[in-house]
Amino acid sequence: MKYFQQEPLRHVGDVPAMGAERYGETLALEYRGEEYSYADLESRSNQVANALVEAGIEPGDRVAMYLENSLQFPETFFGVIKTGAVAVPLNHRMDTGRLKYILADADAAALITSPVFPSVGTELAEEVPLAFIPGGAEGLEDYDEHVDAASPEFDRPERDFEDVAVQCYTSGTTGNPKGVLTTHENLLSTVQSYTSRSGADPEEDVALCFLPLFHMYGLSVVMLTGLYNGATVVLRTMPVASELLSAITEFEVTQFAGIPAVYIEMLAEMEDNPDQYDVSSLKTLGSGAAPLADDTRRRIEDAFDTPLTEGWGMTETSPAGTTSSTYGVHKGAGCIGQPLPNVELKLVDPMTRDLRVPAEALDPTSATTLEDHGINPDDEEQVTGELAIRGPQVFEGYHGLPEKTEAVFDEEGWFYTDDIARVDEDRFLWMVDRADDMLIVGGENVYPAEVEDALFEHPDVQAAAVVAADHEVKGEAPVAYVVLEPGVEDAPTEREIREFALDHVATYAHPRRVFFVDELPRSGTRKVQRYKLEEDAAERLDGPLSSSEEL
């Protein structure tokens, strides 16, 4: 952990102060021509903190933030945390019904929003005692007026390392969103883990962040880690390929994290305009949130001339977990690497939680092999299981949901994630799927990602998603949604795609139907919304699949 005022940093709100002391007028943040130095960020976030305290905000209060990736987000985030209050970033891609639920669940004392969302901000302001927006509006105080008038010096109240700093909410695709209680220790431990694993020179780095700051990865791994280390963070709001490539060119970006769908769009833009962009400054590329095909990975690495890393983490882990290395062993697409420093992982039976692979066998600093622990690397069942994680990065629990919290933790502090992974003979982890996405087809476990990986191997398939559909004999069986590559002249038929899949997966795992679509439904972070496909499949099929649909 870095030191600030001769002591280890133990308060997230001190990150700007440490940055101002160390880096002063160095560029900290850029957004569409607006810039903050480290000194600017400290002064402005202190003004936000003073304005909030003057408005009545106290330590422990929840302050909701309905903001885009602009300079208002980091100044508000740090300002809220300096007061001792808890920041509640809101996903502005959620419908207002869910947002109102979150405000009520969090018992938010205030809302801070942006002119980008005037109508939604006004509607949400009715749900809280106090609301701010730059320029003011009906029912909302003028954010700029209050902040500009406040002092740039702030004497923050003491808070414990274990106190909650942030309360992000899960997406709520299978129920109401859950508030994830994340402490100062959780966030700063995650930052330190990523810093320890990085092989770059952070003070010389420029990170481009289009990933939403209301999500834990953009907030913690990109913004907070970058500012902790003295990097410059360039903010953008939308995943528009031309804008991202232009920013990489203009600011000589060294670090970029994206998702497969955005990388594919960037590749197409570079192919259409090969002389318009210079991406030679890039040193590290990261990808997550969705499976990445081997061919796509190769195309990305060739185009950017940079190794691409993948990793795994969750909102609940702040989001520490695993990452592959830019400079070390380089495996294929789907490898999520090894545990980050100070993170313990183990694999367990998804149904019983019986141990399959102990933490010692997954520890990258250990000289042992899987065989030393009595594990046969060729036994697929033995080396595949649910990821359980333990460490200072793991959240305190779900807000107001003690029974749910108790269900996901055991007495030894292990958090059971519902994510399925396997470990190879070199002790590198590979993501398989979510346990709750797993299909049970006539008693056989089928992971959608494995079928999707097979479909990706078809030269005419650009994107694919596999979901469950009712089956009259098997209980459920896979069906696939496929997006073909643009300009395919001799498009494959449904039967040809199914036969191709059958050649690459077990018989019971092949898709019983294939639906060709122009695009897959995706969330704000471009993850495939499987529940929408399941609903669509049920409508298309109008009844369970039958044995006559087997090949």
Side-chain angles (χ1 to χ4, degrees):
M1 198 72 71
K2 291 195 175 186
Y3 277 66
F4 174 60
Q5 297 181 343
Q6 300 181 328
E7 293 183 356
L9 188 70
R10 296 172 66 85
H11 194 292
V12 173
D14 285 340
V15 170
M18 182 182 72
E21 183 179 275
R22 292 186 177 206
Y23 312 117
E25 295 304 318
T26 299
L27 181 61
L29 295 155
E30 190 279 343
Y31 173 71
R32 297 187 179 281
E34 298 179 78
E35 296 181 348
Y36 276 174
S37 68
Y38 276 88
D40 293 334
L41 177 61
E42 167 64 358
S43 296
R44 187 67 175 176
S45 57
N46 282 341
Q47 289 180 286
V48 173
N50 278 313
L52 290 172
V53 169
E54 290 169 11
I57 296 300
E58 298 179 349
D61 284 348
R62 268 56 179 174
V63 178
M65 300 168 50
Y66 192 67
L67 302 168
E68 77 280 14
N69 282 22
S70 68
L71 297 187
Q72 191 186 357
F73 192 107
E75 71 181 31
T76 300
F77 172 76
F78 288 115
V80 169
I81 291 178
K82 282 174 180 282
T83 69
V86 176
V88 183
L90 298 179
N91 183 339
H92 48 75
R93 286 146 187 172
M94 282 185 176
D95 62 81
T96 54
R98 285 182 183 264
L99 293 171
K100 289 178 181 179
Y101 169 85
I102 290 172
L103 292 174
D105 182 72
D107 191 21
L111 167 73
I112 300 174
T113 187
S114 158
V116 173
F117 314 109
S119 58
V120 178
T122 301
E123 186 174 349
L124 295 180
E126 298 174 359
E127 309 296 316
V128 294
L130 181 65
F132 297 90
I133 188 171
E138 183 178 354
L140 293 95
E141 298 285 329
D142 187 336
Y143 172 89
D144 287 333
E145 181 179 324
H146 284 269
V147 174
D148 291 345
S151 169
E153 303 292 332
F154 181 72
D155 184 16
R156 70 163 179 80
E158 288 299 318
R159 297 293 280 171
D160 291 335
F161 202 33
E162 299 80 15
D163 283 338
V164 175
V166 179
Q167 188 170 314
C168 289
Y169 274 75
T170 62
S171 59
T173 55
T174 58
N176 286 325
K178 298 184 291 292
V180 177
L181 301 175
T182 306
T183 67
H184 294 271
E185 181 182 21
N186 296 153
L187 289 168
L188 292 173
S189 296
T190 291
V191 166
Q192 187 58 41
S193 291
Y194 274 96
T195 300
S196 299
R197 176 59 60 88
S198 171
D201 182 1
E203 292 184 28
E204 299 297 322
D205 279 333
V206 179
L208 174 58
C209 182
F210 77 90
L211 299 171
L213 294 175
F214 58 70
H215 277 315
M216 188 59 79
Y217 188 91
L219 176 68
S220 175
V221 180
V222 184
M223 185 188 80
L224 193 56
T225 301
L227 295 175
Y228 175 87
N229 285 300
T232 295
V233 180
V234 177
L235 298 174
R236 292 294 181 267
T237 54
M238 297 294 290
V240 178
S242 59
E243 290 191 15
L244 297 177
L245 289 165
S246 294
I248 292 171
T249 302
E250 179 181 355
F251 294 99
E252 298 183 347
V253 169
T254 61
Q255 297 181 347
F256 179 75
I259 56 178
V262 172
Y263 275 118
I264 290 169
E265 292 168 6
M266 292 172 75
L267 288 174
E269 174 65 19
M270 291 172 71
E271 290 169 359
D272 290 343
N273 301 283
D275 300 322
Q276 190 166 331
Y277 307 108
D278 180 1
V279 298
S280 61
S281 59
L282 285 167
K283 297 177 182 177
T284 63
L285 295 174
S287 180
L292 185 68
D294 269 314
D295 179 64
T296 302
R297 177 177 182 151
R298 287 191 292 270
R299 290 175 59 204
I300 293 168
E301 292 182 332
D302 289 345
F304 291 94
D305 193 26
T306 305
L308 186 141
T309 64
E310 295 181 75
W312 167 87
M314 303 173 68
T315 301
E316 289 89 338
T317 66
S318 311
T322 71
T323 185
S324 53
S325 172
T326 301
Y327 305 101
V329 175
H330 200 49
K331 298 217 170 192
C335 178
I336 57 172
Q338 295 181 302
L340 284 162
N342 210 23
V343 170
E344 290 182 279
L345 286 173
K346 64 180 180 180
L347 296 178
V348 301
D349 184 300
M351 308 302 289
T352 66
R353 292 186 177 173
D354 290 341
L355 184 65
R356 288 185 176 172
V357 181
E360 295 81 0
L362 298 177
D363 182 355
T365 66
S366 169
T368 61
T369 65
L370 292 179
E371 289 90 341
D372 291 336
H373 296 272
I375 299 165
N376 177 5
D378 296 323
D379 185 335
E380 193 74 16
E381 182 174 343
Q382 195 176 17
V383 297
T384 303
E386 179 183 356
L387 282 165
I389 183 171
R390 183 170 65 180
Q393 305 85 352
V394 178
F395 75 131
E396 291 294 292
Y398 295 111
H399 175 69
L401 297 172
E403 293 181 358
K404 178 62 177 176
T405 299
E406 184 178 356
V408 297
F409 282 96
D410 67 16
E411 295 178 352
E412 296 179 342
W414 288 97
F415 168 57
Y416 293 86
T417 67
D418 255 357
D419 280 341
I420 307 297
R422 64 176 175 85
V423 60
D424 66 20
E425 59 184 4
D426 299 318
R427 297 186 300 149
F428 281 76
L429 289 159
W430 298 72
M431 185 52 61
V432 176
D433 222 323
R434 288 284 296 170
D436 49 11
D437 287 336
M438 182 182 75
L439 287 69
I440 301 178
V441 183
E444 300 286 353
N445 293 346
V446 174
Y447 297 105
E450 294 184 335
V451 185
E452 290 161 3
D453 286 345
L455 293 171
F456 283 141
E457 293 299 317
H458 193 288
D460 294 334
V461 172
Q462 182 188 76
V466 171
V467 296
D470 291 339
H471 192 285
E472 63 182 11
V473 176
K474 306 290 186 181
E476 59 182 2
V479 296
Y481 284 78
V482 168
V483 179
L484 296 176
E485 291 282 1
V488 174
E489 293 183 3
D490 188 15
T493 65
E494 177 182 2
R495 184 175 184 85
E496 287 170 342
I497 293 292
R498 292 180 62 199
E499 289 175 344
F500 179 87
L502 191 59
D503 289 338
H504 291 77
V505 299
T507 303
Y508 57 80
H510 81 277
R512 285 9 179 226
R513 292 293 307 275
V514 173
F515 303 119
F516 295 101
V517 293
D518 293 332
E519 60 182 359
L520 299 174
R522 297 183 184 273
S523 68
T525 51
R526 309 303 294 274
K527 290 184 180 180
V528 174
Q529 295 174 309
R530 294 183 188 275
Y531 72 97
K532 289 188 177 181
L533 294 179
E534 289 173 350
E535 293 171 358
D536 182 77
E539 290 182 10
R540 288 176 184 253
L541 295 171
D542 194 27
L545 296 161
S546 66
S547 298
S548 63
E549 287 159 306
E550 307 293 322
L551 285 174

